[in-house]
Structure formats: C-alpha cells, structure tokens
Amino acid sequence: MDISFKRDRNTLVVLIEGEIDHHTSKDARDRIDSKFIMEPVKNIIIDLSKVSFMDSSGIGLITGRLKKASSIGGTLAIKKPSKEVLRILKMSKIDSMIELDA
Amino acid sequence: MQPINKVKVEFLSKSSNEAFARVVAASFVAQADPSIEVLADIRTAVSEAVTNSIIHGYDEKEGIITMACTLYPELVEITIEDSGKGIEDIEKAKEPLYTSKPELERSGMGFTVMETFMDTLIIESSPGTGTRIVMTKQLGNG
Ligand SMILES: Nc1ncnc2c1ncn2[C@@H]1O[C@H](COP(=O)(O)OP(=O)(O)O)[C@@H](O)[C@H]1O
Ligand SMILES: [Mg+2]
C-alpha cells in the first residue's frame, strides 16, 4: 500500500493506493494520524480511487479518522470509491455520517 | 457431490498472510472461470475469516491457520480454521457492529460481510478449542 498527502487549505487530502486490510490499515492509521497532527488542517478527504481491495478493516480505518477530525470540529469525506469499496462502506452505514463522493 | 479439485494450505497467523490467503483462494477458484464479482466476493470473505483468526482467535500471537478450498461443479466451499481461543456467544458475534476489540478499530462487520458476500456461512466454535468457518459460494455457469 502507498499513501501520499496533499494539503488544500485546512483540508488534508489522503491518497491511498493498493489494498486495505488489517495488515495494511495499521500503517495507514499511524501515517494519517501523524500527518493530521503535523499539518495545520482540521478536515480530511480520503481518496479511495486507487484502492484495489478493501475489507471491513477499511471501515474501522475510516471511522477512526472521522473521530479524529470530529474531535477538533472538522469533517471527513471519501472520494471516488470503486463499486466494491462502496458496497462495504454502505454496509456499515457510515455512508450516513460522511460524504461519499467529495 | 464429487469434488472436482481441492487444496489445503497451512500458514502462520501473521497479518501479511491475509493477502496470501486471498490470492490463494482466488487463484484456486479462477479455474472454474467465475465472474469478476464472484472472485471479489470470495477474496473479501476469505480476508475477513483469516483476519478474525489472527486478531481474535490468536490475539495476534503465533498460531496456525488452515484454509481448505474444495471445488464442486457449481460451487466452491472454503473452510478456515484456527485452534485459538474460540467464540463464547456465536449469535452475539454475528450481530452487525459487535466487536470485542473496539480499541483496535475493528468495525464489527466481518461476519456480516461474510454472510452477505457468500451464499452460506457456518460458524463452529467453542471456547478454548478454536473456530472453524465454512462458507460456500455458487459459481454461476461462468
Ligand atoms: N476466529 C475467531 N476466534 C475468536 N473470536 C472470534 C473469531 N472470529 C470472530 N470472533 C469474535 O466475533 C466478533 C465479531 O467478528 P467480526 O464480525 O469479524 O467483527 P470484528 O472482527 O470487527 O470484531 C469478534 O469481535 C470476536 O469477538
Ligand atoms: Mg473481523
């Protein structure tokens, strides 16, 4: 898995490439959280357009980052999930809490 | 029903083997020429079951996971088994959003995903003995 970051004003844009499972989500969580603390941002956008596989570990990863952003009054949005990724996201009902195509 | 083919693999409960198990199951099933959607469903369900053995069964300590895939004319049966701590209340474990490890950012959706993505799901488990998951998926006429 590869993660890269961009900053757009007060929003951290996270591009995840590859597979999100329990193995890779630990590293993703640590990297996103440290970047979120370092940068002067309060919102997070996670771009999932390059994610080729995601299981329910991805729900935990996204919900956890939503909590981080909310705790400082920010928002979290998801960008361009594939059909398969969207199916997992919808199952968890987090689609009612976040914007699914920012 | 007479099986067409069968594989059985044993691996350590390391998280890097989650991807390994998905690839093995998907490449085995690929010989039946299923749709891309069916393969994606199988990959996801296998990932959930193997991850559960690693995180919950063995509490992220070392143990052995066995995966067996059996191909029949119209379906595949996948068994994933650990000798870990087992599940006390299977009905509760199956509830959407229930997780015993919220501190690890688990979503509690693993069993719901397995149930939704596969056609049948059987959970056999007893505390102290381990857990066996048996799932089947119809392969369509490919
Ligand atoms: N192989 C297993 N061994 C022991 N407990 C398990 C196993 N698989 C699942 N469980 C229990 O069932 C619960 C629900 O599993 P699941 O739906 O995959 O959610 P999650 O993995 O996110 O907790 C787990 O939190 C755990 O308590
Ligand atoms: Mg799980």
Side-chain angles (χ1 to χ4, degrees), chain A residues 56, chain B residues 48-49 51-58 82 84-87 92-95 97-101 105-112 114 125 130-131 133:
Chain A
S56 73
Chain B
E48 297 294 350
T51 301
N52 280 353
S53 292
I54 294 171
I55 306 183
H56 304 297
Y58 292 120
D82 65 64
K85 71 170 181 235
I87 305 175
K92 186 167 177 191
K94 279 169 72 182
E95 279 170 23
L97 305 175
Y98 170 77
T99 179
S100 53
K101 295 202 189 268
E105 296 195 340
R106 302 311 304 163
S107 63
M109 293 302 291
F111 280 134
T112 309
M114 288 181 245
S125 188
T131 301
I133 304 296

PDB file of all heavy atoms in Angstrom, chain A residues 56, chain B residues 48-49 51-58 82 84-87 92-95 97-101 105-112 114 125 130-131 133, ligand 1:
ATOM      1  N   SER A  56     -13.468  -5.190   5.789  1.00  0.00           N
ATOM      2  CA  SER A  56     -14.085  -4.381   6.851  1.00  0.00           C
ATOM      3  C   SER A  56     -13.066  -3.623   7.693  1.00  0.00           C
ATOM      4  O   SER A  56     -13.437  -2.730   8.451  1.00  0.00           O
ATOM      5  CB  SER A  56     -14.987  -5.248   7.736  1.00  0.00           C
ATOM      6  OG  SER A  56     -14.209  -6.093   8.566  1.00  0.00           O
TER       7      SER A  56
ATOM      8  N   GLU B  48     -11.771 -11.615   5.634  1.00  0.00           N
ATOM      9  CA  GLU B  48     -12.441 -11.423   6.923  1.00  0.00           C
ATOM     10  C   GLU B  48     -12.195 -12.611   7.863  1.00  0.00           C
ATOM     11  O   GLU B  48     -11.883 -12.420   9.040  1.00  0.00           O
ATOM     12  CB  GLU B  48     -13.956 -11.267   6.718  1.00  0.00           C
ATOM     13  CG  GLU B  48     -14.395 -10.055   5.907  1.00  0.00           C
ATOM     14  CD  GLU B  48     -14.107  -8.719   6.596  1.00  0.00           C
ATOM     15  OE1 GLU B  48     -13.738  -8.713   7.792  1.00  0.00           O
ATOM     16  OE2 GLU B  48     -14.246  -7.682   5.924  1.00  0.00           O
ATOM     17  N   ALA B  49     -12.351 -13.814   7.328  1.00  0.00           N
ATOM     18  CA  ALA B  49     -12.220 -15.007   8.180  1.00  0.00           C
ATOM     19  C   ALA B  49     -10.782 -15.162   8.686  1.00  0.00           C
ATOM     20  O   ALA B  49     -10.546 -15.452   9.865  1.00  0.00           O
ATOM     21  CB  ALA B  49     -12.671 -16.249   7.414  1.00  0.00           C
ATOM     22  N   THR B  51      -8.464 -12.815   8.944  1.00  0.00           N
ATOM     23  CA  THR B  51      -8.174 -11.714   9.872  1.00  0.00           C
ATOM     24  C   THR B  51      -8.739 -12.020  11.263  1.00  0.00           C
ATOM     25  O   THR B  51      -8.082 -11.784  12.278  1.00  0.00           O
ATOM     26  CB  THR B  51      -8.784 -10.395   9.327  1.00  0.00           C
ATOM     27  OG1 THR B  51      -8.217 -10.135   8.054  1.00  0.00           O
ATOM     28  CG2 THR B  51      -8.479  -9.222  10.256  1.00  0.00           C
ATOM     29  N   ASN B  52      -9.941 -12.572  11.312  1.00  0.00           N
ATOM     30  CA  ASN B  52     -10.526 -12.917  12.607  1.00  0.00           C
ATOM     31  C   ASN B  52      -9.691 -13.948  13.359  1.00  0.00           C
ATOM     32  O   ASN B  52      -9.514 -13.834  14.573  1.00  0.00           O
ATOM     33  CB  ASN B  52     -11.955 -13.449  12.420  1.00  0.00           C
ATOM     34  CG  ASN B  52     -12.959 -12.324  12.237  1.00  0.00           C
ATOM     35  OD1 ASN B  52     -12.624 -11.159  12.367  1.00  0.00           O
ATOM     36  ND2 ASN B  52     -14.195 -12.694  11.941  1.00  0.00           N
ATOM     37  N   SER B  53      -9.194 -14.955  12.640  1.00  0.00           N
ATOM     38  CA  SER B  53      -8.346 -15.951  13.303  1.00  0.00           C
ATOM     39  C   SER B  53      -7.103 -15.288  13.888  1.00  0.00           C
ATOM     40  O   SER B  53      -6.675 -15.606  14.998  1.00  0.00           O
ATOM     41  CB  SER B  53      -7.937 -17.048  12.318  1.00  0.00           C
ATOM     42  OG  SER B  53      -9.065 -17.819  11.965  1.00  0.00           O
ATOM     43  N   ILE B  54      -6.527 -14.360  13.140  1.00  0.00           N
ATOM     44  CA  ILE B  54      -5.301 -13.692  13.584  1.00  0.00           C
ATOM     45  C   ILE B  54      -5.569 -12.783  14.789  1.00  0.00           C
ATOM     46  O   ILE B  54      -4.898 -12.873  15.817  1.00  0.00           O
ATOM     47  CB  ILE B  54      -4.696 -12.861  12.421  1.00  0.00           C
ATOM     48  CG1 ILE B  54      -4.235 -13.814  11.305  1.00  0.00           C
ATOM     49  CG2 ILE B  54      -3.548 -11.977  12.915  1.00  0.00           C
ATOM     50  CD1 ILE B  54      -3.810 -13.116  10.017  1.00  0.00           C
ATOM     51  N   ILE B  55      -6.578 -11.922  14.665  1.00  0.00           N
ATOM     52  CA  ILE B  55      -6.803 -10.918  15.713  1.00  0.00           C
ATOM     53  C   ILE B  55      -7.508 -11.506  16.923  1.00  0.00           C
ATOM     54  O   ILE B  55      -7.131 -11.257  18.057  1.00  0.00           O
ATOM     55  CB  ILE B  55      -7.718  -9.772  15.202  1.00  0.00           C
ATOM     56  CG1 ILE B  55      -7.190  -9.166  13.925  1.00  0.00           C
ATOM     57  CG2 ILE B  55      -7.851  -8.685  16.254  1.00  0.00           C
ATOM     58  CD1 ILE B  55      -8.030  -8.005  13.466  1.00  0.00           C
ATOM     59  N   HIS B  56      -8.591 -12.242  16.662  1.00  0.00           N
ATOM     60  CA  HIS B  56      -9.417 -12.712  17.776  1.00  0.00           C
ATOM     61  C   HIS B  56      -8.990 -14.109  18.234  1.00  0.00           C
ATOM     62  O   HIS B  56      -8.818 -14.337  19.423  1.00  0.00           O
ATOM     63  CB  HIS B  56     -10.886 -12.731  17.371  1.00  0.00           C
ATOM     64  CG  HIS B  56     -11.386 -11.408  16.876  1.00  0.00           C
ATOM     65  ND1 HIS B  56     -11.429 -10.291  17.659  1.00  0.00           N
ATOM     66  CD2 HIS B  56     -11.847 -11.024  15.651  1.00  0.00           C
ATOM     67  CE1 HIS B  56     -11.914  -9.273  16.954  1.00  0.00           C
ATOM     68  NE2 HIS B  56     -12.170  -9.696  15.724  1.00  0.00           N
ATOM     69  N   GLY B  57      -8.868 -15.039  17.279  1.00  0.00           N
ATOM     70  CA  GLY B  57      -8.521 -16.417  17.633  1.00  0.00           C
ATOM     71  C   GLY B  57      -7.211 -16.469  18.398  1.00  0.00           C
ATOM     72  O   GLY B  57      -7.134 -17.020  19.493  1.00  0.00           O
ATOM     73  N   TYR B  58      -6.185 -15.870  17.803  1.00  0.00           N
ATOM     74  CA  TYR B  58      -4.848 -15.959  18.400  1.00  0.00           C
ATOM     75  C   TYR B  58      -4.383 -14.677  19.088  1.00  0.00           C
ATOM     76  O   TYR B  58      -3.227 -14.575  19.480  1.00  0.00           O
ATOM     77  CB  TYR B  58      -3.827 -16.368  17.328  1.00  0.00           C
ATOM     78  CG  TYR B  58      -4.022 -17.785  16.821  1.00  0.00           C
ATOM     79  CD1 TYR B  58      -4.273 -18.039  15.473  1.00  0.00           C
ATOM     80  CD2 TYR B  58      -3.945 -18.876  17.686  1.00  0.00           C
ATOM     81  CE1 TYR B  58      -4.451 -19.327  14.991  1.00  0.00           C
ATOM     82  CE2 TYR B  58      -4.112 -20.173  17.217  1.00  0.00           C
ATOM     83  CZ  TYR B  58      -4.371 -20.390  15.871  1.00  0.00           C
ATOM     84  OH  TYR B  58      -4.534 -21.679  15.415  1.00  0.00           O
ATOM     85  N   ASP B  82      -8.930 -22.145  12.943  1.00  0.00           N
ATOM     86  CA  ASP B  82      -7.828 -21.862  13.869  1.00  0.00           C
ATOM     87  C   ASP B  82      -8.009 -22.677  15.139  1.00  0.00           C
ATOM     88  O   ASP B  82      -9.092 -23.191  15.409  1.00  0.00           O
ATOM     89  CB  ASP B  82      -7.750 -20.346  14.177  1.00  0.00           C
ATOM     90  CG  ASP B  82      -8.956 -19.801  14.933  1.00  0.00           C
ATOM     91  OD1 ASP B  82      -9.182 -20.226  16.092  1.00  0.00           O
ATOM     92  OD2 ASP B  82      -9.671 -18.937  14.383  1.00  0.00           O
ATOM     93  N   GLY B  84      -7.499 -21.347  18.137  1.00  0.00           N
ATOM     94  CA  GLY B  84      -7.352 -20.243  19.080  1.00  0.00           C
ATOM     95  C   GLY B  84      -8.372 -20.290  20.202  1.00  0.00           C
ATOM     96  O   GLY B  84      -8.869 -21.356  20.567  1.00  0.00           O
ATOM     97  N   LYS B  85      -8.709 -19.097  20.690  1.00  0.00           N
ATOM     98  CA  LYS B  85      -9.493 -19.054  21.926  1.00  0.00           C
ATOM     99  C   LYS B  85     -10.977 -19.364  21.761  1.00  0.00           C
ATOM    100  O   LYS B  85     -11.657 -19.646  22.743  1.00  0.00           O
ATOM    101  CB  LYS B  85      -9.311 -17.703  22.613  1.00  0.00           C
ATOM    102  CG  LYS B  85      -9.974 -16.535  21.929  1.00  0.00           C
ATOM    103  CD  LYS B  85      -9.919 -15.318  22.873  1.00  0.00           C
ATOM    104  CE  LYS B  85     -10.605 -14.136  22.215  1.00  0.00           C
ATOM    105  NZ  LYS B  85      -9.765 -12.951  22.126  1.00  0.00           N
ATOM    106  N   GLY B  86     -11.480 -19.354  20.542  1.00  0.00           N
ATOM    107  CA  GLY B  86     -12.885 -19.719  20.329  1.00  0.00           C
ATOM    108  C   GLY B  86     -13.853 -18.591  20.640  1.00  0.00           C
ATOM    109  O   GLY B  86     -13.463 -17.546  21.167  1.00  0.00           O
ATOM    110  N   ILE B  87     -15.125 -18.812  20.286  1.00  0.00           N
ATOM    111  CA  ILE B  87     -16.159 -17.789  20.469  1.00  0.00           C
ATOM    112  C   ILE B  87     -17.165 -18.276  21.501  1.00  0.00           C
ATOM    113  O   ILE B  87     -17.694 -19.384  21.374  1.00  0.00           O
ATOM    114  CB  ILE B  87     -16.894 -17.501  19.140  1.00  0.00           C
ATOM    115  CG1 ILE B  87     -15.895 -17.128  18.045  1.00  0.00           C
ATOM    116  CG2 ILE B  87     -17.936 -16.396  19.319  1.00  0.00           C
ATOM    117  CD1 ILE B  87     -16.522 -16.949  16.669  1.00  0.00           C
ATOM    118  N   LYS B  92     -24.175 -13.477  19.238  1.00  0.00           N
ATOM    119  CA  LYS B  92     -23.755 -12.106  19.514  1.00  0.00           C
ATOM    120  C   LYS B  92     -22.614 -11.687  18.572  1.00  0.00           C
ATOM    121  O   LYS B  92     -22.605 -10.579  18.041  1.00  0.00           O
ATOM    122  CB  LYS B  92     -23.289 -12.020  20.967  1.00  0.00           C
ATOM    123  CG  LYS B  92     -22.954 -10.623  21.419  1.00  0.00           C
ATOM    124  CD  LYS B  92     -22.818 -10.607  22.931  1.00  0.00           C
ATOM    125  CE  LYS B  92     -22.396  -9.224  23.405  1.00  0.00           C
ATOM    126  NZ  LYS B  92     -22.007  -9.260  24.822  1.00  0.00           N
ATOM    127  N   ALA B  93     -21.675 -12.611  18.356  1.00  0.00           N
ATOM    128  CA  ALA B  93     -20.530 -12.311  17.481  1.00  0.00           C
ATOM    129  C   ALA B  93     -21.001 -11.954  16.074  1.00  0.00           C
ATOM    130  O   ALA B  93     -20.391 -11.141  15.384  1.00  0.00           O
ATOM    131  CB  ALA B  93     -19.575 -13.506  17.445  1.00  0.00           C
ATOM    132  N   LYS B  94     -22.121 -12.570  15.655  1.00  0.00           N
ATOM    133  CA  LYS B  94     -22.620 -12.342  14.300  1.00  0.00           C
ATOM    134  C   LYS B  94     -23.364 -11.024  14.135  1.00  0.00           C
ATOM    135  O   LYS B  94     -23.591 -10.582  13.014  1.00  0.00           O
ATOM    136  CB  LYS B  94     -23.579 -13.476  13.908  1.00  0.00           C
ATOM    137  CG  LYS B  94     -22.859 -14.727  13.449  1.00  0.00           C
ATOM    138  CD  LYS B  94     -23.816 -15.886  13.334  1.00  0.00           C
ATOM    139  CE  LYS B  94     -24.759 -15.763  12.149  1.00  0.00           C
ATOM    140  NZ  LYS B  94     -25.701 -16.906  12.130  1.00  0.00           N
ATOM    141  N   GLU B  95     -23.757 -10.409  15.240  1.00  0.00           N
ATOM    142  CA  GLU B  95     -24.509  -9.152  15.127  1.00  0.00           C
ATOM    143  C   GLU B  95     -23.674  -8.082  14.429  1.00  0.00           C
ATOM    144  O   GLU B  95     -22.514  -7.898  14.756  1.00  0.00           O
ATOM    145  CB  GLU B  95     -24.889  -8.631  16.529  1.00  0.00           C
ATOM    146  CG  GLU B  95     -26.099  -9.298  17.117  1.00  0.00           C
ATOM    147  CD  GLU B  95     -26.284  -8.920  18.583  1.00  0.00           C
ATOM    148  OE1 GLU B  95     -25.775  -7.866  19.010  1.00  0.00           O
ATOM    149  OE2 GLU B  95     -26.939  -9.702  19.293  1.00  0.00           O
ATOM    150  N   LEU B  97     -21.887  -4.783  13.718  1.00  0.00           N
ATOM    151  CA  LEU B  97     -21.273  -3.775  14.592  1.00  0.00           C
ATOM    152  C   LEU B  97     -20.782  -4.311  15.934  1.00  0.00           C
ATOM    153  O   LEU B  97     -20.139  -3.593  16.683  1.00  0.00           O
ATOM    154  CB  LEU B  97     -22.188  -2.556  14.822  1.00  0.00           C
ATOM    155  CG  LEU B  97     -22.685  -1.842  13.551  1.00  0.00           C
ATOM    156  CD1 LEU B  97     -23.670  -0.733  13.922  1.00  0.00           C
ATOM    157  CD2 LEU B  97     -21.520  -1.261  12.762  1.00  0.00           C
ATOM    158  N   TYR B  98     -21.042  -5.596  16.238  1.00  0.00           N
ATOM    159  CA  TYR B  98     -20.482  -6.108  17.501  1.00  0.00           C
ATOM    160  C   TYR B  98     -19.010  -6.454  17.312  1.00  0.00           C
ATOM    161  O   TYR B  98     -18.637  -7.223  16.424  1.00  0.00           O
ATOM    162  CB  TYR B  98     -21.208  -7.361  18.023  1.00  0.00           C
ATOM    163  CG  TYR B  98     -20.432  -7.965  19.173  1.00  0.00           C
ATOM    164  CD1 TYR B  98     -20.489  -7.391  20.441  1.00  0.00           C
ATOM    165  CD2 TYR B  98     -19.554  -9.033  18.975  1.00  0.00           C
ATOM    166  CE1 TYR B  98     -19.710  -7.883  21.487  1.00  0.00           C
ATOM    167  CE2 TYR B  98     -18.772  -9.532  20.020  1.00  0.00           C
ATOM    168  CZ  TYR B  98     -18.852  -8.950  21.270  1.00  0.00           C
ATOM    169  OH  TYR B  98     -18.062  -9.427  22.290  1.00  0.00           O
ATOM    170  N   THR B  99     -18.155  -5.892  18.153  1.00  0.00           N
ATOM    171  CA  THR B  99     -16.752  -6.277  18.171  1.00  0.00           C
ATOM    172  C   THR B  99     -16.264  -6.372  19.596  1.00  0.00           C
ATOM    173  O   THR B  99     -16.675  -5.569  20.446  1.00  0.00           O
ATOM    174  CB  THR B  99     -15.858  -5.304  17.367  1.00  0.00           C
ATOM    175  OG1 THR B  99     -14.496  -5.748  17.453  1.00  0.00           O
ATOM    176  CG2 THR B  99     -15.946  -3.869  17.867  1.00  0.00           C
ATOM    177  N   SER B 100     -15.414  -7.355  19.874  1.00  0.00           N
ATOM    178  CA  SER B 100     -14.827  -7.439  21.213  1.00  0.00           C
ATOM    179  C   SER B 100     -13.540  -6.613  21.294  1.00  0.00           C
ATOM    180  O   SER B 100     -12.927  -6.511  22.343  1.00  0.00           O
ATOM    181  CB  SER B 100     -14.554  -8.907  21.576  1.00  0.00           C
ATOM    182  OG  SER B 100     -13.797  -9.516  20.562  1.00  0.00           O
ATOM    183  N   LYS B 101     -13.123  -6.059  20.149  1.00  0.00           N
ATOM    184  CA  LYS B 101     -11.883  -5.276  20.153  1.00  0.00           C
ATOM    185  C   LYS B 101     -12.040  -3.886  19.527  1.00  0.00           C
ATOM    186  O   LYS B 101     -11.361  -3.560  18.539  1.00  0.00           O
ATOM    187  CB  LYS B 101     -10.779  -6.054  19.421  1.00  0.00           C
ATOM    188  CG  LYS B 101     -10.372  -7.345  20.119  1.00  0.00           C
ATOM    189  CD  LYS B 101      -8.997  -7.766  19.701  1.00  0.00           C
ATOM    190  CE  LYS B 101      -8.639  -9.154  20.199  1.00  0.00           C
ATOM    191  NZ  LYS B 101      -7.980  -9.213  21.459  1.00  0.00           N
ATOM    192  N   GLU B 105      -9.806  -0.580  16.514  1.00  0.00           N
ATOM    193  CA  GLU B 105     -10.545  -0.025  15.381  1.00  0.00           C
ATOM    194  C   GLU B 105     -11.145  -1.108  14.500  1.00  0.00           C
ATOM    195  O   GLU B 105     -11.157  -1.015  13.281  1.00  0.00           O
ATOM    196  CB  GLU B 105      -9.678   0.934  14.544  1.00  0.00           C
ATOM    197  CG  GLU B 105      -9.240   2.158  15.312  1.00  0.00           C
ATOM    198  CD  GLU B 105      -8.705   3.294  14.435  1.00  0.00           C
ATOM    199  OE1 GLU B 105      -8.311   3.034  13.288  1.00  0.00           O
ATOM    200  OE2 GLU B 105      -8.691   4.430  14.924  1.00  0.00           O
ATOM    201  N   ARG B 106     -11.650  -2.159  15.138  1.00  0.00           N
ATOM    202  CA  ARG B 106     -12.408  -3.148  14.387  1.00  0.00           C
ATOM    203  C   ARG B 106     -13.823  -2.610  14.237  1.00  0.00           C
ATOM    204  O   ARG B 106     -14.319  -1.898  15.110  1.00  0.00           O
ATOM    205  CB  ARG B 106     -12.433  -4.503  15.120  1.00  0.00           C
ATOM    206  CG  ARG B 106     -11.075  -5.112  15.414  1.00  0.00           C
ATOM    207  CD  ARG B 106     -10.169  -5.142  14.219  1.00  0.00           C
ATOM    208  NE  ARG B 106     -10.750  -5.834  13.061  1.00  0.00           N
ATOM    209  CZ  ARG B 106     -10.300  -5.711  11.832  1.00  0.00           C
ATOM    210  NH1 ARG B 106      -9.288  -4.919  11.557  1.00  0.00           N
ATOM    211  NH2 ARG B 106     -10.877  -6.377  10.856  1.00  0.00           N
ATOM    212  N   SER B 107     -14.472  -2.968  13.139  1.00  0.00           N
ATOM    213  CA  SER B 107     -15.797  -2.399  12.886  1.00  0.00           C
ATOM    214  C   SER B 107     -16.936  -3.308  13.314  1.00  0.00           C
ATOM    215  O   SER B 107     -18.082  -2.895  13.366  1.00  0.00           O
ATOM    216  CB  SER B 107     -15.929  -2.130  11.389  1.00  0.00           C
ATOM    217  OG  SER B 107     -15.835  -3.367  10.700  1.00  0.00           O
ATOM    218  N   GLY B 108     -16.629  -4.563  13.600  1.00  0.00           N
ATOM    219  CA  GLY B 108     -17.692  -5.499  13.944  1.00  0.00           C
ATOM    220  C   GLY B 108     -18.528  -5.926  12.752  1.00  0.00           C
ATOM    221  O   GLY B 108     -19.636  -6.422  12.905  1.00  0.00           O
ATOM    222  N   MET B 109     -17.984  -5.744  11.539  1.00  0.00           N
ATOM    223  CA  MET B 109     -18.756  -6.054  10.329  1.00  0.00           C
ATOM    224  C   MET B 109     -18.255  -7.301   9.603  1.00  0.00           C
ATOM    225  O   MET B 109     -18.757  -7.647   8.536  1.00  0.00           O
ATOM    226  CB  MET B 109     -18.726  -4.852   9.371  1.00  0.00           C
ATOM    227  CG  MET B 109     -19.470  -3.627   9.891  1.00  0.00           C
ATOM    228  SD  MET B 109     -21.192  -3.949  10.261  1.00  0.00           S
ATOM    229  CE  MET B 109     -21.812  -4.203   8.604  1.00  0.00           C
ATOM    230  N   GLY B 110     -17.267  -7.984  10.172  1.00  0.00           N
ATOM    231  CA  GLY B 110     -16.665  -9.126   9.483  1.00  0.00           C
ATOM    232  C   GLY B 110     -17.653 -10.229   9.141  1.00  0.00           C
ATOM    233  O   GLY B 110     -17.737 -10.676   7.993  1.00  0.00           O
ATOM    234  N   PHE B 111     -18.405 -10.682  10.139  1.00  0.00           N
ATOM    235  CA  PHE B 111     -19.360 -11.762   9.881  1.00  0.00           C
ATOM    236  C   PHE B 111     -20.480 -11.309   8.954  1.00  0.00           C
ATOM    237  O   PHE B 111     -20.980 -12.091   8.146  1.00  0.00           O
ATOM    238  CB  PHE B 111     -19.934 -12.306  11.191  1.00  0.00           C
ATOM    239  CG  PHE B 111     -19.007 -13.279  11.884  1.00  0.00           C
ATOM    240  CD1 PHE B 111     -18.753 -13.182  13.243  1.00  0.00           C
ATOM    241  CD2 PHE B 111     -18.392 -14.300  11.170  1.00  0.00           C
ATOM    242  CE1 PHE B 111     -17.897 -14.077  13.883  1.00  0.00           C
ATOM    243  CE2 PHE B 111     -17.532 -15.203  11.794  1.00  0.00           C
ATOM    244  CZ  PHE B 111     -17.284 -15.085  13.164  1.00  0.00           C
ATOM    245  N   THR B 112     -20.878 -10.046   9.072  1.00  0.00           N
ATOM    246  CA  THR B 112     -21.925  -9.525   8.175  1.00  0.00           C
ATOM    247  C   THR B 112     -21.425  -9.538   6.735  1.00  0.00           C
ATOM    248  O   THR B 112     -22.162  -9.906   5.810  1.00  0.00           O
ATOM    249  CB  THR B 112     -22.307  -8.086   8.588  1.00  0.00           C
ATOM    250  OG1 THR B 112     -22.598  -8.080   9.978  1.00  0.00           O
ATOM    251  CG2 THR B 112     -23.511  -7.589   7.822  1.00  0.00           C
ATOM    252  N   MET B 114     -19.087 -11.576   5.507  1.00  0.00           N
ATOM    253  CA  MET B 114     -19.020 -12.983   5.063  1.00  0.00           C
ATOM    254  C   MET B 114     -20.413 -13.490   4.686  1.00  0.00           C
ATOM    255  O   MET B 114     -20.588 -14.160   3.672  1.00  0.00           O
ATOM    256  CB  MET B 114     -18.441 -13.875   6.174  1.00  0.00           C
ATOM    257  CG  MET B 114     -16.957 -13.687   6.402  1.00  0.00           C
ATOM    258  SD  MET B 114     -16.360 -14.798   7.716  1.00  0.00           S
ATOM    259  CE  MET B 114     -15.882 -13.631   8.969  1.00  0.00           C
ATOM    260  N   SER B 125     -17.589 -23.177  16.725  1.00  0.00           N
ATOM    261  CA  SER B 125     -16.579 -22.655  17.632  1.00  0.00           C
ATOM    262  C   SER B 125     -16.879 -23.074  19.050  1.00  0.00           C
ATOM    263  O   SER B 125     -18.040 -23.182  19.437  1.00  0.00           O
ATOM    264  CB  SER B 125     -16.565 -21.121  17.556  1.00  0.00           C
ATOM    265  OG  SER B 125     -15.468 -20.609  18.277  1.00  0.00           O
ATOM    266  N   GLY B 130     -11.148 -23.522  19.518  1.00  0.00           N
ATOM    267  CA  GLY B 130     -10.872 -22.868  18.243  1.00  0.00           C
ATOM    268  C   GLY B 130     -12.133 -22.630  17.455  1.00  0.00           C
ATOM    269  O   GLY B 130     -13.245 -22.848  17.937  1.00  0.00           O
ATOM    270  N   THR B 131     -11.930 -22.164  16.235  1.00  0.00           N
ATOM    271  CA  THR B 131     -13.053 -21.749  15.396  1.00  0.00           C
ATOM    272  C   THR B 131     -12.867 -22.284  13.986  1.00  0.00           C
ATOM    273  O   THR B 131     -11.762 -22.272  13.450  1.00  0.00           O
ATOM    274  CB  THR B 131     -13.133 -20.198  15.360  1.00  0.00           C
ATOM    275  OG1 THR B 131     -13.287 -19.725  16.700  1.00  0.00           O
ATOM    276  CG2 THR B 131     -14.289 -19.703  14.507  1.00  0.00           C
ATOM    277  N   ILE B 133     -14.732 -21.847  10.190  1.00  0.00           N
ATOM    278  CA  ILE B 133     -15.705 -21.146   9.366  1.00  0.00           C
ATOM    279  C   ILE B 133     -15.844 -21.924   8.057  1.00  0.00           C
ATOM    280  O   ILE B 133     -14.825 -22.215   7.411  1.00  0.00           O
ATOM    281  CB  ILE B 133     -15.190 -19.711   9.030  1.00  0.00           C
ATOM    282  CG1 ILE B 133     -14.869 -18.918  10.304  1.00  0.00           C
ATOM    283  CG2 ILE B 133     -16.151 -18.958   8.120  1.00  0.00           C
ATOM    284  CD1 ILE B 133     -16.047 -18.647  11.190  1.00  0.00           C
TER     285      ILE B 133
HETATM  286  N1  LIG C   1     -11.713 -16.831  14.871  1.00  0.00           N
HETATM  287  C1  LIG C   1     -12.235 -16.226  15.951  1.00  0.00           C
HETATM  288  N2  LIG C   1     -11.829 -16.568  17.197  1.00  0.00           N
HETATM  289  C2  LIG C   1     -12.347 -15.966  18.301  1.00  0.00           C
HETATM  290  N3  LIG C   1     -13.273 -14.983  18.253  1.00  0.00           N
HETATM  291  C3  LIG C   1     -13.725 -14.595  17.051  1.00  0.00           C
HETATM  292  C4  LIG C   1     -13.233 -15.174  15.834  1.00  0.00           C
HETATM  293  N4  LIG C   1     -13.872 -14.594  14.793  1.00  0.00           N
HETATM  294  C5  LIG C   1     -14.713 -13.679  15.331  1.00  0.00           C
HETATM  295  N5  LIG C   1     -14.647 -13.669  16.679  1.00  0.00           N
HETATM  296  C6  LIG C   1     -15.451 -12.822  17.592  1.00  0.00           C
HETATM  297  O1  LIG C   1     -16.566 -12.329  16.872  1.00  0.00           O
HETATM  298  C7  LIG C   1     -16.589 -10.896  16.909  1.00  0.00           C
HETATM  299  C8  LIG C   1     -17.189 -10.338  15.626  1.00  0.00           C
HETATM  300  O2  LIG C   1     -16.347 -10.605  14.500  1.00  0.00           O
HETATM  301  P1  LIG C   1     -16.438  -9.654  13.228  1.00  0.00           P
HETATM  302  O3  LIG C   1     -17.851  -9.566  12.800  1.00  0.00           O
HETATM  303  O4  LIG C   1     -15.451 -10.122  12.230  1.00  0.00           O
HETATM  304  O5  LIG C   1     -16.033  -8.216  13.803  1.00  0.00           O
HETATM  305  P2  LIG C   1     -14.576  -7.620  14.186  1.00  0.00           P
HETATM  306  O6  LIG C   1     -13.523  -8.553  13.637  1.00  0.00           O
HETATM  307  O7  LIG C   1     -14.544  -6.304  13.543  1.00  0.00           O
HETATM  308  O8  LIG C   1     -14.544  -7.569  15.694  1.00  0.00           O
HETATM  309  C9  LIG C   1     -15.164 -10.504  17.170  1.00  0.00           C
HETATM  310  O9  LIG C   1     -15.055  -9.215  17.754  1.00  0.00           O
HETATM  311  C10 LIG C   1     -14.697 -11.609  18.118  1.00  0.00           C
HETATM  312  O10 LIG C   1     -15.125 -11.353  19.431  1.00  0.00           O
END
